[in-house]
Amino acid sequence: MIRILNGEVYDPINGIAGEVRNLYICDGRISSQDAGGRTIDAAGMVVMPGGVDMHCHIAGPKVNTARKLRPEDHRAHEIAKTPLSRSGTFGSVPTTFATGYRYAMMGYTTAFDAAIPPLAARHAHEELNDTPVIDKGFFLLMGNNEFIMERIAAGEKEEVRHFAAWLLQAAKGYAIKLVNPGGVELWKSRSNAHTLDDEVTGFQITPRQIIQSLAEVSEELSLPHPVHIHCNNLGIAGNWETTLETMKALEGRRGHLTHIQFHSYGGNPGESFSSKAAEMAEYVNAHPNLSVDVGQVMFGDTTSLTGDGPLGYMLHQVTGCKWVNVDIENEAGCGITPIEYKEKNSIHATQWAIGLEWFLLVQDPWRVVLTTDHPNGASFTLYPRIIRLLMDREYRKEMMRNVNQKALAQTTLPDLEREYTLNEIAIITRAGPARLLGLQDKGHLGVGACGDVTIYEKNADWEKMFAAPRYVIKDGQVLIEDGHLRGETYGRTFYVSPAYDPAIEGKIRKFFDDYYTVRYENYPVQLEHYLPRPEAIPCRV
Amino acid sequence: MIRLALKTRPDLPLEADTIRPDYFAQKTEAEIAKLPVLHGNQFCALGDFFNVRGGASDQLVLEGDLAQVKRIGTGMEYGQITIHGNAGMHLGAGMRAGEIVVFGDAGDWAGAEMCGGKIHIHGNAGHGLGGAYRGSRHGMNRGMILVEGNAGNETGSLMRRGLVAVRGDVGEFAGAFVIAGTLIVFGSLGRRAGAGMKRGTIVAYQQPELLPTFTFDCVYQPLYLRLILQTLQLEGFSIEEEWRTGAYRRYSGDLNALGKGEIFVYDQH
């Protein structure tokens, strides 16, 4: 039991913006009753719900392969063990334990891995089980699943739905994720999807059909989180048209467009590269069915790891760095390569500016989420710096002076004067993502919510303030105090369990017998063995 | 001058990256003896393993068989280390300046990723001499390494700048993926020398088994090689007169990479 007294509370879901209030936590949840216990005097401090990262890459085979690819990154960032925490390494692709501790130290208590091939779900759960403190879950890659594409081609919408539900159950995943729909399948025959109407060879369907079918399935299954889309043509000049087409293809259905910064480019490949954030933000502002997370790029060395195989190859061609490409049979692909974002590079500077434009141009903070697509745009540890860029106009202008001026001048960033308020930051870092994910007891401090609370000591430097909270409380336990870990705990794993018609199982079994290297029986993840603290999130009614 | 004499031979490798003349320069004898070293997974004091004599100097003399003592002089920025005995792994790795002389053998990764200074090993060196650690984009970047004995595999791999000279033989993949810099081997050059090299120079005094991706260019007398050999002579390396005046066969490669690298083979005839 904990009492947090006289804090300046930011709880946007419950309409509280900076009121001085007392909070009580009892049995791990926010309570209306003062039941005593440890008292934290939060006078003059900022109190927010625990942070929620809705799109990062922290588990599963691609993350692990990236770790293996970058020993030099780990060598430079060793973490020694302490009596309470394990040793590890940091860098752009940290070890599982280091990931959990660092999220906690930053006041984040929930994170979702955004791209797990169902075939590797068991591996992802194992890694998440070794990720301390935070609650977690993952999205399942379905945009290039051969069974789904075959059923779409056959016009069997019902079967797509039953299969998607079966897959979510079998893998214990949380939402449907599309990555370069159709394009990754095409990449397996050395091609790619360049428009929504390119034919996916061998299936006679188009990316548009995949997007529409799975957006529909997501709605029909009433999943807590809508379809999570990584559009086609990521990183390619002129891709904004594809992105806009994707938004339109949703036809009013709910959809979350992820790391939108990487999909907002004008110009022509090899010739010009510009920002189309302003035009696109206008479209998003006018369409309440859409939400985005930014995927902000920050300057420095990082690792690009993506389910978008052809993108990995493109980056490898551009940087000349070492590269891994993986084909995940029947389901997905993967590309990994190190990348360094440089301030003076005109493309990188434009990417940096586009991310900030998105934050500043989307009017409704509930529909834009702070992410870096960790580690693709930057490490999640840079969130506090992004917060400072959003809250402190002077700092932003100072940083703008360091980047490629020619590139910067072609964006609207120099004209944007908006500054985020603490309440808006609370929305884009916790309340908003929690609501978009459909997590009822996360991202707010109302009675019955999880006892995840972050308490910051005020500091004129917002980066310092958000980088080192004074207290981080997880499920009613004080875990971080003055930057030191005070206890070890393991969070819950969220998953969904939508209903499906068991008649589909026979067809799936046959598909497995014909095409998979694993047996149908060995494919599903056993709840009792792989999810020590499972929590099924009910599908919306 | 500071003398460190090994009194207890560690039964586990000793991670002693605190043995650095630039760390010792401002410390007293007692302070030096208290510096931490990692013995297996336990922190101990330097004084537990060494008799320390003297303080406040950047001239350091080590005595005893230090084959189990790793990371001596890693990252050092100035000063001199003289080792009467063998040295363990990672000797002078990442050093920026200063000098290390070993009257004995050195372990693997001596001078790996160093970016200045000089290492002179009078015995043999191990693998990865002046090389790049796994995953790094470049190895040695400036500095000089002289070895009187033999060296192991991956000598000077991914070298960016600098000079490595080995009196004896080297193992496989010498100068692999070299970006620039010079590797001179007076003994035999192992297989796959210069694999993937972009630029840079490898000089051999015995005909090596070259990769098929190296092509013969010509026979000539490279002038700058005379200067390098003269420098080596000034450093106490004995150089025969005909090496300076003789002709060399030039091969360029690796054509699988940029192909601007060169392997010179001394032409006896």
Side-chain angles (χ1 to χ4, degrees):
Chain A
M1 287 171 299
I2 298 180
R3 313 192 299 170
I4 304 162
L5 304 182
N6 301 317
E8 192 180 313
V9 177
Y10 289 87
D11 180 10
I13 286 181
N14 296 303
I16 299 165
E19 267 173 53
V20 174
R21 285 184 161 233
N22 295 338
L23 276 181
Y24 309 109
I25 304 176
C26 193
D27 298 327
R29 296 205 166 250
I30 307 284
S31 156
S32 55
Q33 302 298 318
D34 180 358
R38 179 175 173 183
T39 304
I40 292 174
D41 178 13
M45 297 189 198
V46 169
V47 179
M48 288 188 184
V52 178
D53 194 345
M54 76 180 298
H55 187 112
C56 58
H57 300 278
I58 55 171
K62 69 185 177 319
V63 177
N64 216 29
T65 309
R67 290 186 186 114
K68 285 188 268 186
L69 185 70
R70 302 219 55 194
E72 76 284 11
D73 197 19
H74 299 310
R75 225 168 21 241
H77 303 91
E78 289 171 6
I79 300 168
K81 74 168 185 180
T82 72
L84 277 177
S85 63
R86 303 217 197 184
S87 63
T89 59
F90 213 75
S92 58
V93 207
T95 54
T96 52
F97 295 100
T99 302
Y101 302 137
R102 282 299 281 271
Y103 264 119
M105 293 209 186
M106 222 172 59
Y108 270 66
T109 54
T110 311
F112 278 78
D113 189 288
I116 299 296
L119 192 60
R122 196 173 263 111
H123 177 180
H125 281 298
E126 281 174 333
E127 286 200 9
L128 288 178
N129 292 344
D130 272 350
T131 306
V133 188
I134 54 173
D135 293 328
K136 56 256 169 169
F138 57 68
F139 308 151
L140 272 190
L141 294 172
M142 295 198 198
N144 292 281
N145 187 297
E146 297 190 357
F147 187 88
I148 289 179
M149 291 192 290
E150 217 178 80
R151 297 295 89 197
I152 292 173
E156 302 280 2
K157 281 190 177 179
E158 296 279 292
E159 289 189 6
V160 174
R161 189 176 79 231
H162 295 315
F163 176 75
W166 174 83
L167 203 57
L168 283 163
Q169 281 215 15
K172 302 286 173 280
Y174 191 77
I176 297 176
K177 170 79 183 292
L178 308 185
V179 168
N180 187 359
V184 177
E185 175 62 28
L186 280 164
W187 168 240
K188 295 179 186 182
S189 51
R190 300 207 65 173
S191 181
N192 196 357
H194 303 290
T195 74
L196 289 199
D197 299 308
D198 282 11
E199 188 185 296
V200 182
T201 321
F203 295 92
Q204 281 77 47
I205 59 163
T206 62
R208 184 186 302 279
Q209 281 171 282
I210 300 173
I211 294 163
Q212 289 178 335
S213 309
L214 288 171
E216 207 175 310
V217 162
S218 241
E219 290 213 331
E220 285 169 357
L221 292 175
S222 303
L223 297 179
H225 182 51
V227 63
H228 195 98
I229 308 172
H230 157 146
C231 297
N232 304 88
N233 287 331
L234 186 150
I236 295 167
N239 65 7
W240 77 293
E241 289 177 3
T242 314
T243 315
L244 216 51
E245 274 300 300
T246 308
M247 292 177 180
K248 287 176 187 161
L250 288 170
E251 292 170 349
R253 293 185 198 96
R254 284 184 70 204
H256 180 85
L257 285 100
T258 191
H259 39 69
I260 193 77
Q261 175 277 125
F262 287 112
H263 303 275
S264 310
Y265 308 146
N268 286 309
E271 289 170 18
S272 54
F273 189 85
S274 62
S275 165
K276 287 288 177 188
E279 289 87 336
M280 293 174 66
E282 204 173 305
Y283 188 87
V284 169
N285 282 334
H287 292 81
N289 61 316
L290 302 174
S291 57
V292 300
D293 67 84
V294 171
Q296 176 68 32
V297 155
M298 296 294 272
F299 302 110
D301 181 37
T302 189
T303 308
S304 166
L305 44 99
T306 173
D308 193 342
L311 164 71
Y313 179 65
M314 183 188 86
L315 289 175
H316 159 68
Q317 294 287 86
V318 171
T319 61
C321 287
K322 51 192 172 182
W323 165 61
V324 173
N325 180 63
V326 183
D327 169 15
I328 293 139
E329 57 179 59
N330 307 315
E331 293 184 351
C334 168
I336 306 164
T337 188
I339 184 165
E340 190 183 350
Y341 291 106
K342 294 174 182 161
E343 286 162 330
K344 299 301 175 201
N345 180 308
S346 74
I347 290 182
H348 299 167
T350 309
Q351 291 179 305
W352 177 81
I354 291 175
L356 294 174
E357 280 183 286
W358 267 104
F359 282 116
L360 299 170
L361 288 169
V362 173
Q363 303 297 335
D364 178 4
W366 291 97
R367 292 195 286 124
V368 60
V369 177
L370 192 156
T371 66
T372 54
D373 189 17
H374 163 84
N376 288 305
S379 165
F380 66 81
T381 52
L382 291 171
Y383 290 176
R385 189 169 303 164
I386 299 172
I387 291 173
R388 186 174 179 200
L389 284 167
L390 298 177
M391 294 189 73
D392 182 345
R393 186 167 51 217
E394 291 314 310
Y395 175 69
R396 190 161 72 222
K397 298 217 149 132
E398 195 185 314
M399 290 300 110
M400 280 176 353
R401 279 196 281 278
N402 299 334
V403 309
N404 186 309
Q405 293 300 307
K406 225 172 141 183
L408 184 69
Q410 304 208 347
T411 71
T412 62
L413 188 61
D415 309 325
L416 298 175
E417 299 292 323
R418 180 175 170 193
E419 279 184 337
Y420 267 66
T421 62
L422 273 174
N423 196 50
E424 286 173 320
I425 292 295
I427 296 173
I428 65 166
T429 56
R430 32 253 305 149
R435 187 178 270 185
L436 289 170
L437 287 165
L439 294 168
Q440 300 294 334
D441 55 2
K442 286 276 180 185
H444 71 104
L445 298 170
V447 172
C450 287
D452 293 2
V453 183
T454 307
I455 304 173
Y456 302 97
E457 218 158 336
K458 278 196 173 172
N459 191 323
D461 181 338
W462 300 114
E463 178 178 351
K464 283 205 181 111
M465 169 172 153
F466 280 96
R470 180 73 188 271
Y471 302 97
V472 180
I473 299 162
K474 172 79 175 48
D475 292 328
Q477 194 188 343
V478 179
L479 279 187
I480 307 284
E481 214 175 320
D482 293 330
H484 295 287
L485 201 65
R486 290 284 183 246
E488 192 174 42
T489 166
Y490 284 81
R492 293 167 287 169
T493 306
F494 299 121
Y495 68 103
V496 291
S497 200
Y500 62 89
D501 177 3
I504 192 77
E505 287 178 357
K507 287 186 178 168
I508 305 172
R509 180 188 293 273
K510 176 155 190 334
F511 191 81
F512 270 72
D513 289 345
D514 289 348
Y515 300 114
Y516 265 89
T517 57
V518 292
R519 308 291 298 179
Y520 173 77
E521 288 79 3
N522 293 335
Y523 189 78
V525 172
Q526 300 94 325
L527 193 67
E528 63 278 22
H529 294 140
Y530 286 88
L531 282 77
R533 289 190 64 196
E535 183 169 332
I537 299 296
C539 294
R540 287 173 292 121
V541 186
Chain B
M1 192 172 70
I2 303 171
R3 297 184 89 86
L4 257 63
L6 190 69
K7 61 177 179 187
T8 322
R9 200 183 138 90
D11 46 356
L12 290 168
L14 200 64
E15 301 259 343
D17 53 1
T18 43
I19 303 184
R20 279 174 57 163
D22 48 348
Y23 279 7
F24 289 5
Q26 311 294 334
K27 289 190 172 62
T28 62
E29 190 176 292
E31 283 169 342
I32 293 168
K34 277 189 204 144
L35 284 171
V37 287
L38 200 55
H39 182 231
N41 62 3
Q42 300 295 319
F43 277 103
C44 302
L46 200 55
D48 297 344
F49 295 94
F50 290 90
N51 284 319
V52 182
R53 295 264 181 286
S57 164
D58 62 2
Q59 301 293 310
L60 182 56
V61 176
L62 303 176
E63 288 162 357
D65 181 4
L66 309 183
Q68 287 270 64
V69 183
K70 294 182 181 177
R71 299 188 184 278
I72 298 169
T74 45
M76 64 188 263
E77 296 184 355
Y78 62 89
Q80 187 174 21
I81 304 179
T82 310
I83 304 173
H84 296 282
N86 300 324
M89 288 164 73
H90 311 286
L91 172 78
M95 69 188 279
R96 307 179 76 84
E99 190 179 351
I100 300 177
V101 183
V102 187
F103 294 100
D105 297 341
D108 297 342
W109 305 110
E113 300 186 10
M114 69 191 279
C115 39
K118 198 169 85 184
I119 300 178
H120 196 149
I121 299 163
H122 287 267
N124 299 321
H127 301 303
L129 175 76
Y133 285 122
R134 299 289 174 243
S136 292
R137 295 194 80 172
H138 59 75
M140 180 176 177
N141 185 2
R142 296 190 180 87
M144 189 190 288
I145 302 179
L146 308 173
V147 180
E148 306 282 354
N150 303 324
N153 297 335
E154 295 183 45
T155 297
S157 63
L158 280 96
M159 194 193 323
R160 176 94 184 270
R161 289 188 192 86
L163 174 64
V164 179
V166 181
R167 160 70 64 199
D169 306 335
V170 299
E172 297 191 357
F173 286 101
F177 302 100
V178 161
I179 301 155
T182 307
L183 167 65
I184 302 183
V185 180
F186 296 98
S188 76
L189 194 57
R191 291 189 305 169
R192 301 184 178 85
M197 72 192 289
K198 283 183 170 173
R199 298 187 182 80
T201 306
I202 299 173
V203 187
Y205 285 83
Q206 295 174 19
Q207 179 66 43
E209 183 190 321
L210 286 178
L211 285 170
T213 45
F214 280 82
T215 55
F216 174 73
D217 300 322
C218 61
V219 179
Y220 82 122
Q221 294 166 292
L223 184 65
Y224 85 95
L225 199 54
R226 284 190 205 178
L227 298 173
I228 289 185
L229 292 171
Q230 202 165 324
T231 308
L232 288 177
Q233 200 162 32
L234 288 172
E235 295 289 343
F237 230 70
S238 65
I239 300 295
E240 291 177 27
E241 182 58 24
E242 56 262 39
W243 293 347
R244 280 200 278 174
T245 53
Y248 289 77
R249 289 194 297 280
R250 184 190 193 272
Y251 298 85
S252 57
D254 179 339
L255 300 177
N256 272 337
L258 191 63
K260 290 187 177 176
E262 57 189 5
I263 296 182
F264 286 121
V265 182
Y266 176 59
D267 196 82
Q268 280 100 335
H269 311 293

